[in-house]
Amino acid sequence: MSKAVATADLDTDRNWTESEFISAAMEWHFSPATGSPFWLERAGSLEFDPRRDVRTHADLRLFPNVVNELREIPLEDLIPRGYHGQADVIGSYDSGGTTGAPKRVALLADWFERSLAWKSGRMDELGFPTGANWLTVAPSGPHIFGRLMAELPRMRGGIGFTVDLDPRWVRKCLSEGRAQEAERYAEHVVDQVASILIQQDIGVLVATPPLLERMTARDELIDAINTKVKVIMWGGAHMDPDTRYILQHEIFPNVALRGQYGSTMILGGSMERATSEPGDRSCVFDSFSPYTTFSVVDPVSHLDVAEGARGQVVMHHLSKSLLLPNNLERDMATRVAAPPGALGVSVADVAPVSMFEDSTVIEGVY
Amino acid sequence: MTSLLWTDTRQLDALGASGPFRASRSVPVVGVDGTTLAHLSLVPKLYIKRNLDALRRAHPMPAQERAQCLAAAGELFLGEVDGVSLREHELAVCRASGVAMPVVRRASLSIAESARVAEESVQQARPAGAVNDWRSGAAAGTVWVRKGEVFAVLAPGNHPATHTIWLEALAMGYRVAVRPSRREPFTPHRLVSALRQSGFGTDQVVLLPTDHDVADVFVREADLAMVYGGDEVAARYGARADTLVQGPGRSKVLLADGNHEQHIGTVVDSVIGHGATACVNASAVFVNGDAAGVAAEIARSLSKIPVRPPEADDAVLPAFGIDQARALEKHLRSRLGDAKLVSGPDLVAELPGGGAVLRPAVVLLDRADAPQVNIELPFPCVWVAPWSLDVGVDPLRNTLTLTAITPDEALLSRLIEEPSIRNLHIGDQPTYLMRPGLPHDGHLAEFLMRSKTVMRDLPVVPEQLRPKDMPCLIAKTNNG
């Protein structure tokens, strides 16, 4: 049985059903005429026929997790042939690179625009102002977060101010025991933030949680944010529920704190659910279904956990520009029911694996 | 009698500057018998930073008020705090830490007493030339002042009486942030609650339970900090001038007066006094003479100690979770080498109600410079080695407390002068003895206070002529 999918298309908006959408995507990515060299090459070694056997979101789990191969393949191999060599490529974007060499994906213009339009729509629901200036404190590259955010003020009628940052340098400093160097770098970033926040009229502030925390160490920044900023959008790293509670209720009581959670590997992020109860410390993220979706699985058996239970997050991306199912993230989250009509599940209270097991994941500024 | 306490698992909230805070994240506090005794809130880094800022902004209370509130808090500690009676509290401490009930009870009394005399005890450390109040000094002299304003304590969970020390920081006017251990957070929680109910503002003393990975934030953000730990912690923080490390104890007894059999009681007390879990418990004994005979005698005396659950009125030995007890025994055996385990053979004694007690271990070494003399374990475990004057003081170095039983005054003088021996007890004075005013690792005030030279051209104002509300200039500078 297939459930209705509210908005879905590979090319144009259509009222797809789940199986229509998944089947159309399989057809696109595995037809010799339209699929990418990467997937067509692997099709023969799969123990199933994607075009015949993959018809539901659950069937995506038949695919192996191929993200590790994205560390070394030529990027052109990921681009579906159906674009006939005319794909409008915004650029190459990288995963964090915390575990070994970075994984790379291509960001294509059609997906970029679709994803931004969706984000902007969610921002309307979340009460983001239009016509406001933005300050985005995020890497301009190679991660996708800063690139997506830099486009939004243009779409929403404000001026985009940016401060760049290099999270890999921070992680490198920390892993080499040079915490003081990381500290200096972070203060250097906050100095740049201060200059813009104090001198310019900023209505939306985009920052990573560690940098946001760092900003709260300066009273003049707290004052500037409370006076000018309407919405703080955080993303790019985890924020624990209590830190979120303290930031929202004690430090920035009149500023809306809104989160997004995503990954370069799904070419974007999910947005915080607008209907969170006040006082509820949980933060639920809804994905851009049917294109980007989540599963939550048991870390050992990799089977779906029950609703309300915690498990490891699996991300899937399924659009015209890219097929990347079953990407097991190093995050834990609580499984929450997705909105009606959406595929997969929503996730709440995302936290790094290290908070629950005793491994050491270095997070740093990003 | 206590069923109510355990069926409804307690929540131990953080006690922050803006009141109690129940975090979304918590860890269970698990008793040695495996039962969950409470859930301890774990606060994030941002919460710590904001609280330390609040402490820094707060003004200390006047000295006399601090002393009164401390005494009142000590008294309250022995009564009912947050609806928990002293008996209930002591049972929780005992089950969580495994420290024997009689030891826990003595620790409660010692906490109350330390709170009562904290101010007096601090005064023992004041340099003879310094005064407390600049107005009572000469035209030129030194005033004893705080080196900073915010003191952080990364507290241990091995023994409830370790919390007596930081009470002195409150007496000095420091605002204090305590990070409790996850193993036994009950004592500092009760103590901070009692202090607040006795007049200390919420911005004077806070309890901030956290994960291990944010412990560094305390050291970084507070003005001065005190951390407890083994060699690793000492190596990490030892070089920092703003951090006082309470490292390994490696307390020792030297038997060198030829009458060893008369001092076995002192050795045994040094090993098991205070519950055998403290840094002041002896972990090595050096014998000028028949070391094997002394080891056998110590083992015989220690073997008479009954195995009892920690909450028993006649308990002496510390208890552990069964896995930890086995791991400790395994570790000890892996380090034996050529040494001979005189006691035994079974060290782990399982308790019927869960958990286990480790029986005392006495190990005979064949030379004073054997590396094992530095092994300190959290149960009665003592290494006995032969010693003679030819060997010299080398093996006696790096010692928190040395009980030296010898008539040799030249040797005693050398031991007094040896910098790495931090306390010397001469004669039948067990290593664990301590009391307010006679600190076991120097006065905390030596770390927290200093003398400030004050010279002035104004005449001293006689006390009776001073206006009552004359502001204290030292406190006023804290405004900045």
Side-chain angles (χ1 to χ4, degrees), chain B residues 217-244:
Chain B
V217 180
F218 286 91
V219 175
R220 221 168 39 230
E221 304 281 327
D223 297 329
L224 294 159
M226 176 162 70
V227 301
Y228 287 78
D231 284 328
E232 198 186 319
V233 168
R236 185 161 182 192
Y237 297 108
R240 292 184 65 130
D242 61 358
T243 307
L244 180 65

mmCIF file of all heavy atoms in Angstrom, chain B residues 217-244:
data_model
loop_
_atom_site.group_PDB
_atom_site.id
_atom_site.type_symbol
_atom_site.label_atom_id
_atom_site.label_comp_id
_atom_site.label_asym_id
_atom_site.label_seq_id
_atom_site.Cartn_x
_atom_site.Cartn_y
_atom_site.Cartn_z
ATOM 1 N N VAL B 217 36.189 23.194 31.792
ATOM 2 C CA VAL B 217 35.579 24.528 31.785
ATOM 3 C C VAL B 217 35.708 25.176 33.164
ATOM 4 O O VAL B 217 35.957 26.372 33.272
ATOM 5 C CB VAL B 217 34.091 24.444 31.372
ATOM 6 C CG1 VAL B 217 33.450 25.813 31.366
ATOM 7 C CG2 VAL B 217 33.974 23.791 30.005
ATOM 8 N N PHE B 218 35.575 24.370 34.209
ATOM 9 C CA PHE B 218 35.692 24.913 35.572
ATOM 10 C C PHE B 218 37.085 25.508 35.777
ATOM 11 O O PHE B 218 37.237 26.601 36.286
ATOM 12 C CB PHE B 218 35.484 23.801 36.606
ATOM 13 C CG PHE B 218 34.081 23.347 36.757
ATOM 14 C CD1 PHE B 218 33.583 22.302 36.005
ATOM 15 C CD2 PHE B 218 33.244 23.970 37.666
ATOM 16 C CE1 PHE B 218 32.280 21.874 36.158
ATOM 17 C CE2 PHE B 218 31.937 23.552 37.833
ATOM 18 C CZ PHE B 218 31.445 22.497 37.066
ATOM 19 N N VAL B 219 38.077 24.736 35.392
ATOM 20 C CA VAL B 219 39.452 25.171 35.609
ATOM 21 C C VAL B 219 39.738 26.439 34.804
ATOM 22 O O VAL B 219 40.396 27.364 35.281
ATOM 23 C CB VAL B 219 40.422 24.026 35.223
ATOM 24 C CG1 VAL B 219 41.861 24.483 35.318
ATOM 25 C CG2 VAL B 219 40.180 22.808 36.109
ATOM 26 N N ARG B 220 39.189 26.464 33.594
ATOM 27 C CA ARG B 220 39.452 27.602 32.716
ATOM 28 C C ARG B 220 38.715 28.860 33.164
ATOM 29 O O ARG B 220 39.242 29.961 33.132
ATOM 30 C CB ARG B 220 39.016 27.220 31.303
ATOM 31 C CG ARG B 220 39.968 27.683 30.250
ATOM 32 C CD ARG B 220 39.702 27.077 28.877
ATOM 33 N NE ARG B 220 38.333 26.921 28.513
ATOM 34 C CZ ARG B 220 37.829 25.777 28.043
ATOM 35 N NH1 ARG B 220 38.593 24.723 27.918
ATOM 36 N NH2 ARG B 220 36.554 25.688 27.713
ATOM 37 N N GLU B 221 37.471 28.696 33.578
ATOM 38 C CA GLU B 221 36.620 29.859 33.823
ATOM 39 C C GLU B 221 36.670 30.381 35.262
ATOM 40 O O GLU B 221 36.377 31.544 35.495
ATOM 41 C CB GLU B 221 35.169 29.548 33.457
ATOM 42 C CG GLU B 221 34.969 29.079 32.018
ATOM 43 C CD GLU B 221 34.976 30.224 31.013
ATOM 44 O OE1 GLU B 221 34.518 31.322 31.365
ATOM 45 O OE2 GLU B 221 35.468 30.003 29.891
ATOM 46 N N ALA B 222 37.012 29.513 36.203
ATOM 47 C CA ALA B 222 37.106 29.995 37.589
ATOM 48 C C ALA B 222 38.446 30.714 37.768
ATOM 49 O O ALA B 222 39.346 30.563 36.948
ATOM 50 C CB ALA B 222 36.990 28.823 38.555
ATOM 51 N N ASP B 223 38.557 31.503 38.824
ATOM 52 C CA ASP B 223 39.845 32.160 39.081
ATOM 53 C C ASP B 223 40.868 31.143 39.561
ATOM 54 O O ASP B 223 42.015 31.147 39.144
ATOM 55 C CB ASP B 223 39.669 33.248 40.140
ATOM 56 C CG ASP B 223 38.727 34.346 39.659
ATOM 57 O OD1 ASP B 223 38.699 34.593 38.440
ATOM 58 O OD2 ASP B 223 38.016 34.934 40.494
ATOM 59 N N LEU B 224 40.421 30.281 40.466
ATOM 60 C CA LEU B 224 41.301 29.259 41.022
ATOM 61 C C LEU B 224 40.489 27.974 41.153
ATOM 62 O O LEU B 224 39.273 28.024 41.338
ATOM 63 C CB LEU B 224 41.825 29.699 42.393
ATOM 64 C CG LEU B 224 42.749 30.929 42.362
ATOM 65 C CD1 LEU B 224 42.809 31.598 43.727
ATOM 66 C CD2 LEU B 224 44.149 30.553 41.895
ATOM 67 N N ALA B 225 41.177 26.858 41.044
ATOM 68 C CA ALA B 225 40.450 25.587 41.078
ATOM 69 C C ALA B 225 41.231 24.553 41.864
ATOM 70 O O ALA B 225 42.457 24.638 42.006
ATOM 71 C CB ALA B 225 40.197 25.082 39.661
ATOM 72 N N MET B 226 40.484 23.585 42.368
ATOM 73 C CA MET B 226 41.102 22.462 43.066
ATOM 74 C C MET B 226 40.583 21.184 42.413
ATOM 75 O O MET B 226 39.370 21.013 42.269
ATOM 76 C CB MET B 226 40.722 22.508 44.557
ATOM 77 C CG MET B 226 41.225 21.320 45.362
ATOM 78 S SD MET B 226 41.235 21.653 47.154
ATOM 79 C CE MET B 226 39.485 21.688 47.524
ATOM 80 N N VAL B 227 41.491 20.335 41.980
ATOM 81 C CA VAL B 227 41.077 19.088 41.328
ATOM 82 C C VAL B 227 41.696 17.902 42.060
ATOM 83 O O VAL B 227 42.793 18.005 42.613
ATOM 84 C CB VAL B 227 41.491 19.045 39.838
ATOM 85 C CG1 VAL B 227 40.892 20.196 39.069
ATOM 86 C CG2 VAL B 227 43.006 19.045 39.673
ATOM 87 N N TYR B 228 40.969 16.819 42.047
ATOM 88 C CA TYR B 228 41.426 15.588 42.690
ATOM 89 C C TYR B 228 41.698 14.543 41.627
ATOM 90 O O TYR B 228 40.985 14.475 40.631
ATOM 91 C CB TYR B 228 40.339 15.046 43.622
ATOM 92 C CG TYR B 228 40.165 15.841 44.897
ATOM 93 C CD1 TYR B 228 39.473 17.049 44.887
ATOM 94 C CD2 TYR B 228 40.664 15.375 46.104
ATOM 95 C CE1 TYR B 228 39.287 17.781 46.053
ATOM 96 C CE2 TYR B 228 40.478 16.093 47.280
ATOM 97 C CZ TYR B 228 39.794 17.291 47.249
ATOM 98 O OH TYR B 228 39.613 18.002 48.407
ATOM 99 N N GLY B 229 42.700 13.739 41.837
ATOM 100 C CA GLY B 229 42.938 12.657 40.884
ATOM 101 C C GLY B 229 44.284 12.010 41.079
ATOM 102 O O GLY B 229 45.043 12.368 41.980
ATOM 103 N N GLY B 230 44.564 11.051 40.196
ATOM 104 C CA GLY B 230 45.817 10.308 40.270
ATOM 105 C C GLY B 230 46.917 10.993 39.494
ATOM 106 O O GLY B 230 46.889 12.214 39.259
ATOM 107 N N ASP B 231 47.890 10.210 39.071
ATOM 108 C CA ASP B 231 49.049 10.739 38.358
ATOM 109 C C ASP B 231 48.646 11.504 37.097
ATOM 110 O O ASP B 231 49.262 12.515 36.749
ATOM 111 C CB ASP B 231 49.988 9.592 37.967
ATOM 112 C CG ASP B 231 50.788 9.101 39.181
ATOM 113 O OD1 ASP B 231 51.079 9.937 40.056
ATOM 114 O OD2 ASP B 231 51.098 7.905 39.245
ATOM 115 N N GLU B 232 47.610 10.983 36.425
ATOM 116 C CA GLU B 232 47.204 11.597 35.160
ATOM 117 C C GLU B 232 46.710 13.032 35.372
ATOM 118 O O GLU B 232 47.090 13.952 34.647
ATOM 119 C CB GLU B 232 46.092 10.740 34.554
ATOM 120 C CG GLU B 232 45.854 10.978 33.100
ATOM 121 C CD GLU B 232 44.637 10.191 32.634
ATOM 122 O OE1 GLU B 232 44.482 9.023 33.061
ATOM 123 O OE2 GLU B 232 43.838 10.757 31.882
ATOM 124 N N VAL B 233 45.879 13.193 36.399
ATOM 125 C CA VAL B 233 45.366 14.526 36.722
ATOM 126 C C VAL B 233 46.500 15.441 37.175
ATOM 127 O O VAL B 233 46.581 16.606 36.778
ATOM 128 C CB VAL B 233 44.257 14.426 37.805
ATOM 129 C CG1 VAL B 233 43.914 15.785 38.384
ATOM 130 C CG2 VAL B 233 43.012 13.771 37.218
ATOM 131 N N ALA B 234 47.400 14.879 37.956
ATOM 132 C CA ALA B 234 48.531 15.669 38.441
ATOM 133 C C ALA B 234 49.385 16.141 37.267
ATOM 134 O O ALA B 234 49.828 17.290 37.224
ATOM 135 C CB ALA B 234 49.363 14.841 39.421
ATOM 136 N N ALA B 235 49.575 15.257 36.288
ATOM 137 C CA ALA B 235 50.385 15.629 35.126
ATOM 138 C C ALA B 235 49.674 16.703 34.301
ATOM 139 O O ALA B 235 50.302 17.603 33.740
ATOM 140 C CB ALA B 235 50.644 14.397 34.268
ATOM 141 N N ARG B 236 48.354 16.603 34.257
ATOM 142 C CA ARG B 236 47.593 17.518 33.424
ATOM 143 C C ARG B 236 47.514 18.922 34.008
ATOM 144 O O ARG B 236 47.597 19.911 33.298
ATOM 145 C CB ARG B 236 46.182 16.942 33.268
ATOM 146 C CG ARG B 236 45.320 17.708 32.346
ATOM 147 C CD ARG B 236 44.176 16.844 31.904
ATOM 148 N NE ARG B 236 43.353 17.574 30.966
ATOM 149 C CZ ARG B 236 42.162 17.170 30.579
ATOM 150 N NH1 ARG B 236 41.674 16.051 31.035
ATOM 151 N NH2 ARG B 236 41.459 17.880 29.738
ATOM 152 N N TYR B 237 47.325 18.995 35.318
ATOM 153 C CA TYR B 237 47.090 20.301 35.936
ATOM 154 C C TYR B 237 48.226 20.769 36.836
ATOM 155 O O TYR B 237 48.226 21.902 37.294
ATOM 156 C CB TYR B 237 45.801 20.279 36.761
ATOM 157 C CG TYR B 237 44.556 20.028 35.966
ATOM 158 C CD1 TYR B 237 43.875 18.817 36.038
ATOM 159 C CD2 TYR B 237 44.053 21.014 35.117
ATOM 160 C CE1 TYR B 237 42.714 18.591 35.303
ATOM 161 C CE2 TYR B 237 42.898 20.800 34.379
ATOM 162 C CZ TYR B 237 42.238 19.581 34.486
ATOM 163 O OH TYR B 237 41.100 19.374 33.762
ATOM 164 N N GLY B 238 49.166 19.873 37.107
ATOM 165 C CA GLY B 238 50.187 20.152 38.106
ATOM 166 C C GLY B 238 50.982 21.419 37.838
ATOM 167 O O GLY B 238 51.404 22.104 38.763
ATOM 168 N N ALA B 239 51.181 21.729 36.544
ATOM 169 C CA ALA B 239 52.027 22.869 36.207
ATOM 170 C C ALA B 239 51.269 24.187 36.255
ATOM 171 O O ALA B 239 51.856 25.256 36.107
ATOM 172 C CB ALA B 239 52.630 22.666 34.821
ATOM 173 N N ARG B 240 49.972 24.128 36.452
ATOM 174 C CA ARG B 240 49.176 25.361 36.414
ATOM 175 C C ARG B 240 49.195 26.054 37.770
ATOM 176 O O ARG B 240 48.874 25.445 38.788
ATOM 177 C CB ARG B 240 47.730 25.038 36.039
ATOM 178 C CG ARG B 240 47.554 24.546 34.625
ATOM 179 C CD ARG B 240 46.076 24.365 34.339
ATOM 180 N NE ARG B 240 45.375 25.631 34.363
ATOM 181 C CZ ARG B 240 44.564 26.036 33.388
ATOM 182 N NH1 ARG B 240 44.369 25.282 32.342
ATOM 183 N NH2 ARG B 240 43.938 27.183 33.465
ATOM 184 N N ALA B 241 49.509 27.322 37.745
ATOM 185 C CA ALA B 241 49.575 28.064 39.004
ATOM 186 C C ALA B 241 48.177 28.329 39.566
ATOM 187 O O ALA B 241 48.023 28.609 40.746
ATOM 188 C CB ALA B 241 50.301 29.383 38.781
ATOM 189 N N ASP B 242 47.142 28.239 38.710
ATOM 190 C CA ASP B 242 45.794 28.545 39.181
ATOM 191 C C ASP B 242 45.035 27.294 39.612
ATOM 192 O O ASP B 242 43.844 27.347 39.860
ATOM 193 C CB ASP B 242 45.005 29.300 38.101
ATOM 194 C CG ASP B 242 44.854 28.487 36.821
ATOM 195 O OD1 ASP B 242 45.395 27.366 36.755
ATOM 196 O OD2 ASP B 242 44.189 28.977 35.891
ATOM 197 N N THR B 243 45.729 26.166 39.657
ATOM 198 C CA THR B 243 45.045 24.913 39.978
ATOM 199 C C THR B 243 45.794 24.169 41.083
ATOM 200 O O THR B 243 46.996 23.947 40.984
ATOM 201 C CB THR B 243 44.962 24.017 38.727
ATOM 202 O OG1 THR B 243 44.386 24.778 37.662
ATOM 203 C CG2 THR B 243 44.109 22.790 38.984
ATOM 204 N N LEU B 244 45.054 23.821 42.108
ATOM 205 C CA LEU B 244 45.625 23.056 43.209
ATOM 206 C C LEU B 244 45.271 21.592 42.995
ATOM 207 O O LEU B 244 44.096 21.236 42.959
ATOM 208 C CB LEU B 244 45.051 23.560 44.542
ATOM 209 C CG LEU B 244 45.548 22.863 45.809
ATOM 210 C CD1 LEU B 244 47.030 23.108 46.021
ATOM 211 C CD2 LEU B 244 44.758 23.348 47.021
#
